[in-house]
Amino acid sequence: MYKFLKSLLLPIILIGCGENTNGDKTTETPREEQTLELPPRSNLWVFVMAGQSNMAGRGTIDSQDKIRHNRIFAINSKNDIVLAQEPLHFYEPSRAGLDCGMSFSTEMLKSALDNVSILLIPAAVGGSSIEQWINDETHREVKLLSNFKRRLQIALKHGTLKGVLWHQGESDAHKEETIKKYRENMETLFKKFREIGKKESLPIVVGKLGSFAVDQGNWDKINQAIEAYSRVDEFCKVIETNDLNHKGDQVHFNSEAQRAIGKRYAEIMLSFIQKEK
């Protein structure tokens, strides 16, 4: 009888709960043991993370990145809303690593209202080109734009769309043809994002490619296209990355860089949100 009762009690035990300096609870409890309490839709801010591998994340995940926060949520591979924990992206399990999502969300909460929570939608797939996104092609078994739309629709049942984080362009830097079309393609894709989100003024923050590529000249051309587009789209701003380092492969940002990128995305995204008030 004791063993039977013990087996019933185990699933509701919470492990490692604590509080951060803001009084918000943090935990490393397994997701299935959490009882989630979502705030009202207006207080649950939804952000989509889209692009390719440097948005999906390839950094090493350390213990500091595994801490969950009771006001930061994410959509998982089963389309369930769970407490967020790195790695957030799940489309390429063998490549999964640290992205900027938790750093972004933590920084957002430092400056946001006390009653605000964050819901992240991981939608980036490594190696995808911007035209594959525009054409809704299937890349690494993910239909890119359809996946973006489907997961956003789920999130919007619970929260309010506030912005998109975009980091992509490495795949387009290999050919002069795709480099020349990149600015035009940004306009086309971001229009689609805003149509899907039903928000013409949807803020989109774009991260520049790093300054450590083997063929840096072409990466710089993509960055120039990004800058040029942001000057004609009042709801698009750019974060700098030229001072950040790679993980040793001259392609992907390391963990320290990803944490810095998250903070930079948050700073600019907050500037958009503050204008809404």
Side-chain angles (χ1 to χ4, degrees), residues 30-153:
R31 289 171 180 158
E32 62 272 17
E33 295 179 4
Q34 295 292 333
T35 299
L36 300 183
E37 295 183 9
L38 298 179
R41 288 185 72 252
S42 60
N43 292 342
L44 184 59
W45 291 359
V46 175
F47 298 94
V48 187
M49 303 171 64
Q52 59 178 111
S53 58
N54 270 317
M55 179 59 74
R58 296 292 187 260
T60 300
I61 299 174
D62 297 327
S63 58
Q64 64 178 299
D65 306 307
K66 296 180 180 180
I67 302 299
R68 297 187 181 94
H69 191 297
N70 70 336
R71 290 165 58 198
I72 303 175
F73 305 92
I75 290 183
N76 67 12
S77 61
K78 299 178 181 179
N79 290 325
D80 296 324
I81 296 179
V82 297
L83 285 180
Q85 184 188 33
E86 298 288 357
L88 297 172
H89 282 82
F90 42 78
Y91 306 101
E92 307 160 271
S94 65
R95 299 181 176 94
L98 182 67
D99 59 35
C100 64
M102 289 301 289
S103 173
F104 165 79
S105 301
T106 302
E107 193 69 17
M108 289 290 293
L109 292 182
K110 288 180 181 179
S111 302
L113 301 173
D114 290 341
N115 59 354
V116 167
S117 295
I118 304 292
L119 174 55
L120 297 170
I121 304 175
V125 183
S128 55
S129 72
I130 195 168
E131 289 192 348
Q132 286 179 306
W133 277 85
I134 291 170
N135 298 327
D136 196 16
E137 295 179 26
T138 298
H139 178 73
R140 294 182 179 171
E141 301 184 6
V142 180
K143 197 169 177 62
L144 296 167
L145 204 58
S146 292
N147 180 66
F148 178 106
K149 181 178 181 179
R150 181 174 65 255
R151 297 189 191 278
L152 177 57
Q153 288 174 337

Side-chain angles (χ1 to χ4, degrees), residues 1-270:
M1 177 64 72
Y2 170 76
K3 291 183 178 180
F4 173 73
L5 291 174
K6 183 178 179 182
S7 67
L8 292 178
L9 290 171
L10 279 174
I12 65 171
I13 296 174
L14 296 181
I15 303 170
C17 285
E19 291 192 357
N20 62 19
T21 55
N22 295 322
D24 298 310
K25 291 183 179 180
T26 59
T27 179
E28 290 192 64
T29 308
R31 289 171 180 158
E32 62 272 17
E33 295 179 4
Q34 295 292 333
T35 299
L36 300 183
E37 295 183 9
L38 298 179
R41 288 185 72 252
S42 60
N43 292 342
L44 184 59
W45 291 359
V46 175
F47 298 94
V48 187
M49 303 171 64
Q52 59 178 111
S53 58
N54 270 317
M55 179 59 74
R58 296 292 187 260
T60 300
I61 299 174
D62 297 327
S63 58
Q64 64 178 299
D65 306 307
K66 296 180 180 180
I67 302 299
R68 297 187 181 94
H69 191 297
N70 70 336
R71 290 165 58 198
I72 303 175
F73 305 92
I75 290 183
N76 67 12
S77 61
K78 299 178 181 179
N79 290 325
D80 296 324
I81 296 179
V82 297
L83 285 180
Q85 184 188 33
E86 298 288 357
L88 297 172
H89 282 82
F90 42 78
Y91 306 101
E92 307 160 271
S94 65
R95 299 181 176 94
L98 182 67
D99 59 35
C100 64
M102 289 301 289
S103 173
F104 165 79
S105 301
T106 302
E107 193 69 17
M108 289 290 293
L109 292 182
K110 288 180 181 179
S111 302
L113 301 173
D114 290 341
N115 59 354
V116 167
S117 295
I118 304 292
L119 174 55
L120 297 170
I121 304 175
V125 183
S128 55
S129 72
I130 195 168
E131 289 192 348
Q132 286 179 306
W133 277 85
I134 291 170
N135 298 327
D136 196 16
E137 295 179 26
T138 298
H139 178 73
R140 294 182 179 171
E141 301 184 6
V142 180
K143 197 169 177 62
L144 296 167
L145 204 58
S146 292
N147 180 66
F148 178 106
K149 181 178 181 179
R150 181 174 65 255
R151 297 189 191 278
L152 177 57
Q153 288 174 337
I154 293 168
L156 293 184
K157 294 178 182 178
H158 306 279
T160 302
L161 179 60
K162 287 292 184 177
V164 173
L165 311 182
W166 174 257
H167 197 288
Q168 190 277 336
E170 295 90 345
S171 292
D172 294 88
H174 298 301
K175 297 179 181 179
E176 193 65 30
E177 178 185 357
T178 53
I179 292 173
K180 289 180 178 179
K181 293 178 63 177
Y182 198 78
R183 174 181 167 176
E184 176 186 344
N185 282 337
M186 287 180 70
E187 181 178 3
T188 300
L189 180 62
F190 291 177
K191 182 179 179 181
K192 288 179 179 288
F193 284 169
R194 288 168 175 145
E195 287 173 350
I196 291 171
K198 298 179 180 180
K199 188 173 183 179
E200 292 183 0
S201 60
L202 177 66
I204 301 175
V205 183
V206 181
K208 283 187 176 181
L209 307 192
S211 296
F212 41 65
V214 173
D215 189 2
Q216 189 61 44
N218 282 351
W219 282 31
D220 288 342
K221 290 177 182 178
I222 293 290
N223 285 339
Q224 290 164 11
I226 290 171
E227 280 280 8
Y229 176 74
S230 70
R231 289 194 289 269
V232 299
D233 183 343
E234 64 177 309
F235 301 107
C236 176
K237 290 187 178 181
V238 179
I239 67 164
E240 295 291 339
T241 62
N242 59 352
D243 60 327
L244 303 176
N245 293 321
H246 60 98
K247 58 179 287 186
D249 60 4
Q250 295 184 274
V251 177
H252 298 109
F253 292 106
N254 64 17
S255 301
E256 183 180 2
Q258 284 286 2
R259 297 183 195 107
I261 286 170
K263 292 178 180 179
R264 295 175 189 185
Y265 272 120
E267 180 181 357
I268 294 179
M269 191 62 74
L270 280 167

